[in-house]
Amino acid sequence: MMKVPNNPFFGTHYIGRKEKKAVDKVIKSKSLFRYQGPNLQYMTDQFEEAMKEYLNVKYVLACSNGGTALKLSCIALGIGIGDEVLVPSFTFIASASNILAVGAVPKFVDIDETMNIDPKSIEQNISERTKAIIVVHMQGSPANMKEIMKIAKKHNLKVIEDTAQALGAELNGKKVGTFGDCGAFSLQAGKTITCGEGGFFVTNNKDLYMRAKMYHDNGGYRVGCSYPTWENTKTFFGENFKITEIQSAIALEQLKKIDKIISFQERKYQYLINRIDTNFYKIRPFVKGANSFKMSLGIVFSTKEECDNFIKYMNNHGIGFNIYCSNLIDKYDTFKFQNSWDKNNFPYSLTKYIPNKCEKAESLFKRVAWFNLSAELKRKHLKYIVSKLEEYKNVRCW
């Protein structure tokens, strides 16, 4: 039996001499803070400028992680107490917890066959309290932004794109994360490029950028790399969500490799797809015009039992297919029991959280087997996966 690599750490695989050299430069400068130091290297400024060019957006703000980028999006858009934000139930908890962090509540909506938020479910769940939609481009695959933006415009809703897993993915030639009012990206270890932790907020709206920038810098108003001021009419309170120069140095070098990373993932995916019997195996579909970042291979089965049997077979042969998560996030205790760290149960005590049934998501997530397309996969591993897929098909058809 061959043990097939299954780790999801894409950018990490490419960390090498250039990242080390960039970090050494920052350390030697003794200027690790992004705004000040005896010999500031301006790595964060450089990263933001390079990312603006890559995404073709006007404003990029590097921050401490993808979750803070989501919170900054909510802050910039003025989402708060009494507001409701639509979010898919099939996602990571950060997509919803940062709604709670600003005093609003999520309303969970269903997904479609692409495993992304279903535009029809969005329209069915809009209420008078709905202020925004968080669109998650799940596992590198673009959601149906054409339909979603049409619905948002019709109902005067804001759109935040949670693009944590989809940096580099495109829809009809345009990078995802740039369709909505704001985009939130992650630089965590399991993302397209990484600096271990970190993230960034993007927008084409200057006012939204300035609100996010001030909030991420303790609410201070800052010009260039000068010390911020809190003594003018523009400032408000905020938090410290800044990124370090060391993180930015690594992220900047990783960004230079992004086309190579995306291309390598695409080649592995195509190798498998071109050799899989798609009459037997139903592959997770993509939206028309999508060019996804190939983090994984998703195979959809008609029943949970069939999916479980497939996973067991593959695992017994050293291939780490699995279901994506133990449960949908709306089943987590904070939502199920409306739990909070706060003794007054903020924000549930201030606004109404309405549980919602997401029937398609509840069925689909149990019927899709996922395999991480690890950066460590070699041709011998891919050949072995294909052979076992064919072997399982023959066993089931016999």
Side-chain angles (χ1 to χ4, degrees):
M1 181 180 74
M2 182 182 290
K3 182 63 177 174
V4 179
N6 190 35
N7 74 72
F9 306 119
F10 305 102
T12 304
H13 181 76
Y14 296 87
I15 289 177
R17 181 178 54 83
K18 290 186 177 180
E19 285 85 352
K20 184 177 183 298
K21 185 178 178 180
V23 169
D24 287 344
K25 185 178 180 181
V26 173
I27 291 173
K28 286 176 183 176
S29 76
K30 301 186 186 303
S31 303
L32 280 60
F33 181 56
R34 79 161 289 181
Y35 292 130
Q36 294 174 313
N39 185 22
L40 194 58
Q41 301 300 300
Y42 301 98
M43 290 294 185
T44 308
D45 285 3
Q46 291 181 58
F47 171 72
E48 289 171 343
E49 288 299 317
M51 190 56 76
K52 280 196 289 187
E53 183 177 349
Y54 178 74
L55 293 175
N56 191 28
V57 291
K58 292 180 180 178
Y59 305 102
V60 170
L61 177 68
C63 56
S64 51
N65 56 63
T68 57
L70 283 168
K71 185 172 182 179
L72 290 170
S73 298
C74 291
I75 294 290
L77 291 168
I79 296 168
I81 292 167
D83 293 331
E84 182 180 79
V85 180
L86 304 184
V87 60
S89 61
F90 183 64
T91 183
F92 182 57
I93 193 169
S95 304
S97 59
N98 286 286
I99 300 168
L100 294 171
V102 298
V105 291
K107 185 174 186 181
F108 295 103
V109 299
D110 225 333
I111 60 173
D112 59 24
E113 292 287 339
T114 70
M115 308 302 290
N116 287 319
I117 193 167
D118 185 353
K120 292 178 183 176
S121 187
I122 291 173
E123 192 133 43
Q124 290 165 0
N125 283 283
I126 294 169
S127 74
E128 59 183 15
R129 296 168 55 218
T130 307
K131 186 161 185 177
I133 309 161
I134 288 186
V135 180
V136 184
H137 302 292
M138 199 65 179
Q139 283 289 286
S141 173
N144 189 344
M145 292 309 299
K146 181 179 179 182
E147 289 303 312
I148 292 167
M149 294 308 295
K150 191 185 299 182
I151 292 166
K153 185 177 180 181
K154 176 182 174 182
H155 296 277
N156 194 29
L157 300 177
K158 302 299 182 184
V159 175
I160 300 168
E161 292 180 73
D162 181 343
T163 325
Q165 297 181 340
L167 174 59
E170 297 179 347
L171 191 57
N172 297 316
K174 183 175 180 177
K175 296 285 195 301
V176 296
T178 67
F179 287 84
D181 297 277
C182 306
F185 293 78
S186 174
L187 296 168
Q188 186 262 349
K191 304 307 187 289
T192 314
I193 64 172
T194 185
C195 55
E197 272 289 5
F200 54 98
F201 161 96
V202 310
T203 185
N204 283 308
N205 184 301
K206 185 177 181 180
D207 289 339
L208 298 183
Y209 168 72
M210 289 304 299
R211 284 171 63 86
K213 183 181 178 184
M214 285 193 291
Y215 192 91
H216 111 295
D217 200 8
N218 295 297
Y221 181 78
R222 183 188 292 275
V223 177
C225 291
S226 63
Y227 197 77
T229 177
W230 290 265
E231 296 182 281
N232 62 34
T233 57
K234 298 177 181 178
T235 59
F236 47 77
F237 76 89
E239 297 178 77
N240 180 7
F241 289 162
K242 293 187 290 296
I243 197 171
T244 70
E245 286 286 276
I246 287 178
Q247 289 170 287
S248 294
I250 297 170
L252 181 60
E253 290 304 320
Q254 286 265 290
L255 181 55
K256 295 173 185 177
K257 301 175 180 179
I258 193 167
D259 290 339
K260 176 183 177 182
I261 294 169
I262 291 171
S263 176
F264 189 36
Q265 292 301 121
E266 183 68 33
R267 289 202 302 273
K268 285 181 289 188
Y269 182 85
Q270 291 301 331
Y271 181 94
L272 294 174
I273 290 300
N274 290 336
R275 291 162 177 81
I276 291 174
D277 183 352
T278 52
N279 291 318
F280 180 81
Y281 291 108
K282 182 181 178 183
I283 307 302
R284 174 201 185 186
F286 300 130
V287 172
K288 184 179 180 182
N291 186 11
S292 62
F293 173 59
K294 304 304 192 306
M295 298 183 77
S296 58
L297 174 67
I299 300 179
V300 185
F301 292 89
S302 57
T303 67
K304 177 184 181 299
E305 291 70 27
E306 183 64 29
C307 185
D308 290 344
N309 288 336
F310 171 80
I311 288 171
K312 183 178 180 181
Y313 187 90
M314 290 295 154
N315 289 178
N316 286 341
H317 289 87
I319 304 170
F321 275 92
N322 214 331
I323 60 168
Y324 187 79
C325 52
S326 60
N327 215 333
L328 301 175
I329 64 169
D330 61 299
K331 301 297 188 294
Y332 289 0
D333 287 354
T334 182
F335 308 111
K336 189 175 178 180
F337 302 113
Q338 299 183 35
N339 290 340
S340 172
W341 51 268
D342 175 52
K343 66 179 181 180
N344 295 314
N345 215 36
F346 171 89
Y348 299 109
S349 58
L350 302 175
T351 188
K352 190 175 183 182
Y353 167 70
I354 302 173
N356 198 25
K357 196 166 181 64
C358 302
E359 293 181 353
K360 196 159 192 177
E362 288 180 15
S363 170
L364 264 175
F365 97 93
K366 298 173 184 176
R367 296 190 287 108
V368 181
W370 300 88
F371 178 74
N372 294 319
L373 294 177
S374 170
E376 296 177 2
L377 285 171
K378 295 182 171 59
R379 182 62 66 91
K380 65 179 181 179
H381 300 127
L382 297 172
K383 286 183 177 179
Y384 180 71
I385 293 168
V386 170
S387 72
K388 293 305 169 186
L389 288 169
E390 186 67 17
E391 191 176 282
Y392 178 79
K393 183 195 78 170
N394 291 334
V395 168
R396 298 305 293 177
C397 291
W398 183 76

